[in-house]
């Protein structure tokens, strides 16, 4: 009924009440890569961002942490494990309208440019030019930008198979900060550019970054993104 749980680490608190689950996904024979879930805790309430299904031990740790009240999908291409968590917790589901890769279940709360985040001292940012839904969540207190496929940072290749590492390198990914080339190609309107969206994002106050893939970048995210923008957009 639901996608299986793939190998993952334990939840790690990367900022006060901000937890990272570093996990994985099998995409085919010999193809496995990393993916991440962020868990935010406010009081006894939890919000799961870009959900990744955990094993029974991980679920027990999650339940000990608090009560899941929200699931947030920030990118159209991530939604494999949303149905599992929605069935388990019967909570609110936040996503942009027009989901294409995983159209079901439908969001109970729509993320638009005017939507107020359910997380205190945070705001959504939407890539308004992108042809597939993609957003970020900025945690202002920690100056932490949470992304999906748009911007990724890699400090290593944990949970990547040798074949997947080769494929990623052929697609232009490297250790360090990446503006996802395959994502840019897929979501850019014909004859258009995502540069205005990135320019607008750079007006936000953030210094750290964590994506749905890769590693935590704890500082200097903005200048690194600007450097990558200069390469990608000229």
């Amino acid at each position: 009924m639901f996608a299986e749980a793939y190998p993952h680490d334990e939840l790690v608190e990367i900022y006060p009440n901000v937890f990272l689950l570093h996990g994985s996904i099998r995409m085919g024979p010999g193809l496995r890569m990393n993916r991440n879930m962020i868990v935010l805790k406010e009081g006894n309430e939890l919000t799961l961002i870009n959900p990744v299904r955990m094993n029974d031990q991980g679920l027990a740790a999650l339940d000990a942490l608090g009560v899941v009240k929200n699931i947030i999908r920030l990118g159209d291409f991530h939604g494999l494990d949303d149905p599992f968590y929605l069935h388990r917790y019967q909570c609110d589901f936040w996503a942009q309208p027009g989901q294409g890769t995983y159209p079901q279940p439908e969001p109970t709360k729509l993320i638009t440019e005017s939507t107020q985040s359910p997380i205190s001292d945070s705001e959504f940012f939407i890539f308004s030019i992108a042809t597939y839904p993609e957003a970020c969540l900025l945690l202002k207190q920690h100056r932490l930008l949470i992304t999906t496929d748009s911007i990724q940072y890699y400090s290593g290749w944990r949970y990547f198979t040798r074949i997947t590492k080769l494929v990623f390198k052929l697609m232009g990914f490297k250790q360090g900060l990446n503006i996802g080339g395959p994502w840019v190609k897929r979501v850019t309107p014909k004859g258009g550019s995502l540069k205005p969206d990135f320019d607008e994002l750079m007006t936000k106050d953030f210094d750290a970054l964590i994506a749905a893939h890769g590693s935590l970048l704890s500082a200097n995210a903005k200048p690194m993104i600007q450097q990558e923008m200069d390469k990608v957009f000229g």
Side-chain angles (χ1 to χ4, degrees):
M1 181 179 181
F2 302 114
E4 64 183 286
Y6 293 96
H8 62 78
D9 297 347
E10 295 180 358
L11 282 168
V12 175
E13 191 169 17
I14 56 175
Y15 293 93
N17 295 317
V18 180
F19 299 83
L20 168 64
L21 180 86
H22 193 70
S24 64
I25 179 70
R26 183 178 181 271
M27 300 170 292
L31 295 173
R32 189 179 72 181
M33 65 177 295
N34 140 260
R35 58 178 179 154
N36 299 320
M37 173 172 70
I38 296 295
V39 179
L40 306 178
K41 179 178 172 67
E42 288 195 315
N44 194 46
E45 296 185 355
L46 304 179
T47 296
L48 312 184
I49 301 177
N50 295 329
V52 173
R53 183 174 177 178
M54 292 186 286
N55 57 30
D56 290 344
Q57 182 179 351
L59 291 170
L62 181 69
D63 291 339
L65 197 62
V67 179
V68 177
K69 290 295 185 181
N70 299 291
I71 287 174
I72 297 179
R73 180 193 296 176
L74 290 178
D76 183 81
F77 309 136
H78 285 252
L80 178 66
D81 293 320
D82 294 347
F84 170 79
Y85 283 109
L86 288 169
H87 176 79
R88 181 179 176 90
Y89 295 110
Q90 301 294 307
C91 56
D92 281 328
F93 176 37
W94 300 69
Q96 289 174 253
Q99 297 292 314
T101 307
Y102 298 96
Q104 298 296 326
E106 295 184 359
T108 59
K109 304 283 187 179
L110 291 178
I111 299 174
T112 69
E113 292 183 349
S114 61
T115 299
Q116 184 174 345
S117 167
I119 307 302
S120 300
D121 199 25
S122 72
E123 66 174 307
F124 289 115
F125 174 87
I126 292 176
F127 288 91
S128 60
I129 298 172
T131 56
Y132 289 85
E134 186 84 8
C136 310
L137 182 67
L138 174 59
L139 303 183
K140 298 179 182 179
Q141 177 184 357
H142 307 300
R143 301 179 69 207
L144 173 65
L145 186 69
I146 303 173
T147 64
T148 305
D149 293 321
S150 54
I151 308 168
Q152 305 169 33
Y153 174 78
Y154 292 92
S155 61
W157 300 110
R158 178 165 168 75
Y159 286 126
F160 278 72
T161 60
R162 186 174 301 175
I163 296 174
T164 311
K165 284 191 288 186
L166 176 60
V167 171
F168 255 56
K169 290 176 180 178
L170 290 174
M171 291 191 298
F173 284 93
K174 62 187 184 302
Q175 288 204 24
L177 190 134
N178 299 263
I179 292 176
W183 174 82
V184 169
K185 183 176 181 180
R186 187 170 184 185
V187 307
T188 301
K190 187 174 182 179
S193 172
L194 298 179
K195 187 176 184 298
D197 277 345
F198 278 88
D199 287 338
E200 177 65 23
L201 178 62
M202 293 295 283
T203 68
K204 305 299 181 181
D205 181 23
F206 64 91
D207 188 51
L209 173 89
I210 183 66
H213 304 287
S215 316
L216 171 67
L217 175 59
S218 59
N220 299 316
K222 284 188 79 169
M224 294 174 71
I225 294 172
Q226 184 62 62
Q227 185 178 24
E228 196 69 8
M229 286 172 58
D230 293 342
K231 294 179 183 177
V232 173
F233 301 115

